[in-house]
Every structure is written in structure tokens, then in C-alpha cells.
């Protein structure tokens, strides 16, 4: 017998109705002897009809806040409210692997089926003339109309088709465990949308969605009336869906804003513009106050004690001092008191210095031409690497995709696009030289160095610090114990993270450590597999600008729609290879 299906997620009733809210929430992860604060006094409310995009630097607490709102974590302080029928998009489908995929959808329709059964029962009671049957039938009919009972099956089919799950429509008995990871995530998302809960929590909902599926999801969410809170790195999706942006990144706060969430109405593009203006005003006020403080300190120490600043005393001054000394002393004393009072007020209430945002910069060797392989890269047009007629069975087939060959020269900018399984990562690994194709040719010119940023990270258990690793890359043959020269993280890492064990950093920060190490080696051919994954949205613009300035060749594979829309280099679209045919 198949394992029983889990009940719909939700267990808590809130007096405030279908509203998703965190009020004064603080949370710290327990550590070795000390807790590590993640969220401090965070307040956020998402009302029905609002679609709030949750953004922020990696490690700022987005996933933690979602887990607190879902009830998976208990806040150390503050309160959380959620509706009974809250829908949560988990990273893995919460069903046993042998569960038929069709049953997942049917389970999502359980509430609709119950309403339908009650309507039938109420109709039978009405026909039998039972007492109170009229009122019962009217209630059941109103519930059925609100739940759109008669359109439920068509709506479920539309959700599956729109999210690219024709396989489930064609074979409802197919076991969940036989679906790919992306298909399972999409099935979970389809089930949530079929349920149509009054509030949704979505963590990276466009992961595993192609452009059509992402557009379909955006349309469904825009048409809904419930509350939606979605953490996403998909800038195009946020621009298409969000009614406001909640930013946990402390660098997004304007002058005077307390710790917590910065809420901006509109899309992510609107948010970027608003925060840039607020930050510029903050910086201007900080600089003006610091200049005034410097002047006041000088006034208190020197200027206010001079009768006539800028010149020495004359005979007349001496006469005035002799006969009107008391009045002069009072004047000087008043100047000193006024300046000292204003100085004390400013020093007490001055705005803090804006925390610098991470800003991606290039290694010095790439701009100065003093060292590094890339500084010796051949002039534009010089061949660096190539891939011709490459076939990796079941993973990549360039000729079948209409791409017989790829040649990379100094200055090449190439974007690889295509759905999951099209072979983008496979091609990057082949160009990097760590995958041997079954047929075709891959190669590099003598002396050309190739660097690959992979999707999968290998630093999860690394106890060395980013400073240790960058020191080894930037100053080969040294260690942090015998070489204390400063390292350059190229704006990808906050100073506070340079001395922490890599294993203690967030996934996104570890990925930026790898990217910084790659940049430090200044490869002639830079291969980047989904470089914007786990990268703060504010850094994506700077990444594109930096790649345009890279003197070598750049090959980038990405699902990021915003990046693809703003790409100004060459594009190669890959199609999944045909499945192998069975022998006759």
C-alpha cells in the first residue's frame, strides 16, 4: 500500500485573518558557545492582494524569515502570524517517491472535493425537504462558487501544462521518484497553485522554470487575491510580479532607518532607484556633517578665541582689550559656548557612516598589465580555445544543435542558453579540459589558462578562511602565517567575512569566495556556469560591466532572464540531445 499522503501544510489559526506577518522578530542560530544573530527586530506584514519580493545579501536571513513564517523555526523574540491554509514551496516535494504524481494533484484538490461533496449532500437534503436544508444548500453553493468547484479540474490541467508538466498529464500514475528534481519542484508548485491558499511563501520559485513557465507563474500570481511573499534572485520575475520589495540588506537602508526590513513600493527596478537616491542623500548628509564637525572643532579650539580671526592684534585692538576687556571676554565665551554646544549636538546625533556596498572590481593585473596571464593575452582576434563537433552521449551534441563549432578569441563574449539538459554545463567542462568528449575536438592554444566557475561548490567543509585561500592564490607558495600582505577580494566579500572559516559562510558567500579566487588567477578564458546564482541582485549589474572589460574570452551559461536580456555579446542556444535509440 502506498504511504498516506501528508496533510495540507498549515496548522495555526490567527485572529487577524488571512494575513502573513512577523512582528518584532529576532532569531539567532546556535553556535559553538555563542548564538549567531540572523534577524533582529524584523517586522513585515503582507496583506491579501500584495506580492512582496524578499531580497537581500546572501546570509541576510531571507530563508530564515521564510522558515519562521512557515512555522519551521520558532523566533527568539517577537510573534508570527499565518493563515490556516498557508502554502509553502519547499525545496523538495514532501511526498514518498512511489506516490503517483496524479495523487499529488488530487490531494491539492481535496478541499475542493470536500466542498463538492457537501454541495451534493445539501442538494439531496433540500430535495428531501429536510429542516434547514435551504440555508445549508445556500452556504454550500456560496462555498462552491468561491472555490470555483466546477473549474477545478480544468484549472489543475492548466497549472500542470503551464509549468511544463505534460508528463504528469500524460501519465498520472507515474511515480514521483521517477521525475527529475526540477519536475518535482514544479509539481509541488503546481499543487500549491491548484490549492489557491490565502497566503503563499515561495523560496526561489523560478528555479527550474524555463521562460514560458516563469511567465505563466507570474500571470497566475498577478491574477491571485492572496498574500504572496517570495524570496528570489530573478530580477525579471520580481519586476513582473512584485507590488513591493522587502530588503534585508543593511546597505539598502537610508539615513536614520533602523535595523530590520526596508520596504519599497513597486518593482525591483523601482526599489533599486529609490534606494540609490536614499543612499546618495545619506552619503551627502554624512559628508556635510563630518565637514561641519571638523570646522566646529577648529572653532572651539582656535577661531572662537580670536577677536578678529585671520589677522594679528593692532594697537587699537590692544586699546579695546584694555578698556573693554570684559565685553570682549563675554563675546569670546559666547562663541566658544555656541560652537561647543553645536559640536556636542552633532557628535551625539551624527548619522553613522554608510556601510559600503559590495562593488565588484577587476584584479590589478587585468587593468595595469603588470602581471598575470590575462595581461599577456593575444590581441583581439587571436585564437585562445575551440570546440568542434563535440558529442557527449546523452548530454551534449553540438552538430545536432546546429552548432558545429565554437572558437574563442581574445575579446570573445559568448552566452550559452537552453533548457535544463541542453548541455550548457557539459560544454563548459569540456572547454575547461576536465571532460573528454566521445567525439569531436576541444583544445586551447599553448600557454592559455582556462578558469571555470562551477555550479556545485566544493568548499562546504573548508576550515580555512577566505583570506587564507586568496593569499595562496594571489601570493603562491605562501600562507597566512608567513605572509600578512593584504588580499584583494575584488568587492565580492565583506571585510568581516575574510577571517571567518569558509564552512561557516552562507552558500552564496562561499560561491563568491570561489569567484574571487578565480578572478585572482586572471585566466585567459573565463568560463562561468550560472554566475548570478546566490549573487546579490545589486552585484549583477557590476558583474556584467566587469565581464565587458575582461581582456580575455568569456563564456557564460545562464538561465537568468534579466542577464540574458542585457547581454550584448554573442549567443549560442543549445537543444537537448536526442535520447539514444534502442538496438534493433
Amino acid at each position: 500500500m502506498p504511504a498516506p499522503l501528508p496533510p495540507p501544510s498549515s496548522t495555526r489559526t490567527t485572529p487577524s485573518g488571512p494575513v502573513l506577518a512577523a512582528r518584532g522578530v529576532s532569531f539567532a542560530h546556535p553556535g559553538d558557545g555563542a548564538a549567531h544573530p540572523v534577524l533582529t527586530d524584523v517586522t513585515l506584514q503582507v496583506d491579501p492582494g500584495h506580492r512582496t519580493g524578499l531580497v537581500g545579501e546572501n546570509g541576510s536571513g531571507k530563508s530564515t524569515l521564510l522558515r519562521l513564517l512557515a512555522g519551521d523555526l520558532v523566533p527568539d523574540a517577537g510573534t508570527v502570524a499565518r493563515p490556516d491554509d498557508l502554502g509553502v514551496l519547499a525545496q523538495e516535494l514532501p511526498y514518498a517517491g512511489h506516490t503517483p504524481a496524479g495523487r499529488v494533484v488530487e490531494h491539492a484538490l481535496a478541499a475542493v472535493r470536500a466542498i463538492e461533496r457537501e454541495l451534493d449532500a445539501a442538494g439531496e437534503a433540500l430535495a428531501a425537504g429536510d429542516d434547514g436544508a435551504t440555508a445549508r444548500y445556500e452556504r454550500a453553493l456560496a462555498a462552491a462558487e468561491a472555490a470555483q468547484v466546477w473549474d477545478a479540474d480544468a484549472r489543475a490541467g492548466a497549472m500542470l501544462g503551464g509549468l511544463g508538466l505534460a508528463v504528469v498529464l500524460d501519465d498520472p500514475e507515474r511515480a514521483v521518484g521517477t521525475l527529475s528534481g526540477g519536475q518535482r519542484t514544479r509539481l509541488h508548485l503546481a499543487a500549491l497553485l491548484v490549492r489557491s491558499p490565502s497566503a503563499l511563501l515561495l523560496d526561489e520559485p523560478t528555479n527550474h522554470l524555463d521562460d514560458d513557465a516563469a511567465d505563466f507563474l507570474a500571470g497566475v500570481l498577478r491574477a491571485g487575491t492572496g498574500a504572496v511573499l517570495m524570496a528570489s534572485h530573478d530580477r525579471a520575475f520580481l519586476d513582473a510580479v512584485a507590488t513591493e520589495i522587502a530588503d534585508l540588506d543593511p546597505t539598502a537602508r537610508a539615513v536614520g532607518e533602523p535595523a530590520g526590513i526596508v520596504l519599497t513600493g513597486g518593482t525591483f527596478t523601482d526599489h533599486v532607484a529609490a534606494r540609490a537616491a536614499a543612499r546618495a542623500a545619506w552619503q551627502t548628509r554624512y559628508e556635510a556633517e563630518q565637514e561641519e564637525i571638523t570646522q566646529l572643532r577648529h572653532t572651539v579650539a582656535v577661531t572662537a578665541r580670536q577677536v578678529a580671526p585671520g589677522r594679528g592684534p593692532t594697537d587699537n585692538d590692544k586699546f579695546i582689550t584694555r578698556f573693554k576687556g570684559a565685553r570682549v571676554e563675554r563675546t569670546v565665551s559666547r562663541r566658544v559656548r555656541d560652537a561647543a554646544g553645536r559640536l556636542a549636538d552633532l557628535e551625539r546625533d551624527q548619522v553613522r557612516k554608510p556601510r559600503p556596498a559590495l562593488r565588484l572590481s577587476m584584479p590589478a593585473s587585468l587593468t595595469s598589465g603588470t602581471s598575470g596571464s590575462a595581461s599577456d593575452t593575444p590581441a583581439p582576434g587571436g585564437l585562445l580555445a575551440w570546440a568542434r563537433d563535440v558529442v557527449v552521449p546523452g548530454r551534449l551534441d553540438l552538430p545536432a544543435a546546429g552548432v558545429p563549432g565554437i572558437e574563442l578569441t581574445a575579446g570573445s563574449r559568448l552566452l550559452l542558453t537552453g533548457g535544463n539538459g541542453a548541455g550548457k554545463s557539459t560544454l563548459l567542462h569540456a572547454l575547461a579540459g576536465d571532460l573528454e568528449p566521445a567525439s569531436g575536438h576541444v583544445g586551447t592554444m599553448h600557454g592559455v589558462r582556462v578558469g571555470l566557475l562551477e555550479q556545485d561548490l566544493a568548499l562546504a567543509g573548508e576550515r580555512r578562511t577566505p583570506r587564507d585561500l586568496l593569499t595562496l592564490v594571489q601570493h603562491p607558495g605562501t600562507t597566512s602565517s608567513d605572509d600578512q600582505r593584504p588580499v584583494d577580494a575584488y568587492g565580492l566579500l565583506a571585510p568581516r567575512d575574510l577571517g571567518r572559516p569558509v564552512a561557516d559562510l552562507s552558500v552564496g558567500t562561499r560561491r563568491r569566495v570561489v569567484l574571487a579566487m578565480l578572478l585572482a588567477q586572471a585566466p585567459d578564458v573565463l568560463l562561468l556556469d550560472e554566475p548570478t546564482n546566490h549573487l546579490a541582485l545589486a552585484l549583477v549589474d557590476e558583474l556584467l560591466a566587469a565581464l565587458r572589460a575582461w581582456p580575455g574570452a568569456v563564456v557564460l551559461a545562464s538561465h537568468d532572464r534579466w542577464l540574458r536580456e542585457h547581454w550584448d555579446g554573442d549567443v549560442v542556444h543549445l537543444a537537448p540531445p536526442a535520447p539514444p535509440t534502442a538496438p534493433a
Side-chain angles (χ1 to χ4, degrees):
M1 291 288 293
L5 291 170
S9 75
S10 155
T11 53
R12 181 173 175 181
T13 302
T14 62
S16 56
V19 171
L20 201 56
R23 301 183 180 96
V25 165
S26 297
F27 182 82
H29 287 300
D32 298 332
H36 300 286
V38 180
L39 299 172
T40 303
D41 196 22
V42 168
T43 294
L44 176 68
Q45 179 168 307
V46 186
D47 293 319
H50 287 246
R51 301 177 298 276
T52 305
L54 184 62
V55 302
E57 179 60 79
N58 299 111
S60 60
K62 299 186 297 296
S63 295
T64 299
L65 180 57
L66 291 179
R67 294 183 65 192
L68 287 166
L69 288 167
D72 296 336
L73 296 175
V74 178
D76 300 328
T79 60
V80 173
R82 67 185 74 90
D84 283 344
D85 63 340
L86 176 67
V88 181
L89 179 64
Q91 294 301 310
E92 187 58 42
L93 188 65
Y95 295 91
H98 53 258
T99 304
R103 285 191 62 196
V104 175
V105 179
E106 191 59 33
H107 184 240
L109 291 169
V112 172
R113 302 299 190 216
I115 293 172
E116 189 174 20
R117 289 193 297 271
E118 169 60 16
L119 181 63
D120 292 340
E124 293 173 0
L126 183 64
D130 295 347
D131 292 341
T134 300
R136 179 186 177 186
Y137 183 79
E138 289 175 351
R139 289 194 301 270
L141 181 61
E145 290 174 343
Q148 303 177 44
V149 165
W150 299 277
D151 297 330
D153 290 314
R155 188 167 68 251
M159 295 299 178
L160 293 172
L163 293 174
L165 288 169
V167 61
V168 177
L169 290 171
D170 295 339
D171 184 8
E173 295 302 313
R174 180 166 177 172
V176 164
T178 66
L179 300 175
S180 69
Q183 288 174 323
R184 291 195 297 271
T185 298
R186 282 179 276 147
L187 179 59
H188 190 193
L189 181 57
L192 286 178
L193 298 178
V194 167
R195 277 179 49 200
S196 189
S198 57
L200 278 171
L201 291 177
L202 306 177
D203 195 355
E204 299 294 347
T206 58
N207 281 1
H208 308 293
L209 299 188
D210 60 19
D211 291 356
D212 290 340
D215 289 341
F216 174 82
L217 174 61
V220 172
L221 294 180
R222 285 195 301 266
T225 59
V228 180
L229 180 62
M230 47 195 175
S232 179
H233 282 87
D234 189 335
R235 183 165 172 169
F237 182 75
L238 290 174
D239 274 348
V241 177
T243 57
E244 63 259 337
I245 299 295
D247 197 335
L248 280 167
D249 188 349
T251 64
R253 297 179 196 131
V255 57
E257 288 181 327
I261 283 181
V262 175
L263 194 66
T264 307
T267 66
F268 183 77
T269 296
D270 296 330
H271 170 73
V272 169
R275 302 326 298 178
R279 186 174 179 82
W282 181 1
Q283 184 70 33
T284 298
R285 177 174 168 183
Y286 171 79
E287 292 173 355
E289 285 187 354
Q290 293 306 304
E291 182 179 356
E292 185 176 2
I293 287 173
T294 299
Q295 292 174 345
L296 285 171
R297 286 171 178 166
H298 180 73
T299 296
V300 170
V302 180
T303 306
R305 303 185 186 279
Q306 297 176 350
V307 176
R311 65 176 175 83
T314 65
D315 290 341
N316 192 48
D317 292 331
K318 296 175 184 178
F319 175 83
I320 293 174
T321 302
R322 183 180 304 115
F323 292 100
K324 300 184 179 181
R327 182 181 299 176
V328 173
E329 287 298 327
R330 286 196 299 271
T331 300
V332 172
S333 179
R334 184 177 64 252
R335 289 178 181 174
V336 171
R337 285 198 307 272
D338 291 347
R342 172 60 178 162
L343 177 61
D345 290 343
L346 268 181
E347 289 181 331
R348 183 185 64 247
D349 301 327
Q350 64 180 303
V351 300
R352 70 185 190 279
K353 183 177 182 179
R355 175 182 164 186
L358 296 179
R359 297 191 65 83
L360 182 61
S361 60
M362 287 292 98
S365 61
L366 296 181
T367 55
S368 65
T370 57
S371 63
S373 174
S375 64
D376 301 322
T377 295
L383 184 62
L384 299 177
W386 62 88
R388 301 186 183 103
D389 300 319
V390 172
V391 176
V392 179
R395 297 171 59 181
L396 175 67
D397 191 331
L398 285 185
V403 187
I406 290 174
E407 293 187 346
L408 302 175
T409 62
S412 291
R413 299 292 179 270
L414 179 62
L415 173 65
L416 302 178
T417 65
N420 293 324
K424 301 186 299 297
S425 297
T426 300
L427 179 55
L428 291 180
H429 280 279
L431 287 167
D434 54 22
L435 176 65
E436 184 72 25
S439 61
H441 304 280
V442 179
T444 60
M445 297 295 289
H446 178 70
V448 167
R449 297 199 305 174
V450 180
L452 170 63
L453 176 69
E454 303 180 58
Q455 284 197 59
D456 297 326
L457 296 167
L459 298 179
E462 178 60 66
R463 299 309 303 175
R464 286 175 293 182
T465 68
R467 180 177 288 109
D468 295 333
L469 298 176
L470 287 168
T471 297
L472 290 175
V473 174
Q474 293 174 346
H475 314 300
T478 68
T479 65
S480 59
S481 62
D482 60 24
D483 185 352
Q484 295 299 326
R485 286 178 290 179
V487 300
D488 191 347
Y490 312 116
L492 290 165
L493 300 170
R496 67 182 184 279
D497 291 329
L498 285 173
R500 298 174 58 194
V502 171
D504 294 346
L505 302 175
S506 68
V507 173
T509 305
R510 291 202 300 268
R511 185 168 176 82
R512 292 202 305 275
V513 171
V514 176
L515 180 55
M517 294 172 65
L518 185 63
L519 294 178
Q521 299 173 60
D524 304 297
V525 179
L526 186 59
L527 309 174
L528 304 174
D529 199 352
E530 299 292 350
T532 62
N533 281 2
H534 305 293
L535 192 65
L537 293 175
L539 280 176
V540 175
D541 288 334
E542 296 183 17
L543 174 65
L544 275 180
L547 293 180
R548 293 187 187 103
W550 193 267
V554 176
V555 183
L556 185 151
S558 180
H559 284 98
D560 189 322
R561 288 185 295 166
W562 188 90
L563 184 149
R564 286 184 280 127
E565 289 169 2
H566 292 78
W567 183 258
D568 55 7
D570 296 326
V571 178
V572 167
H573 185 77
L574 299 178
T581 56

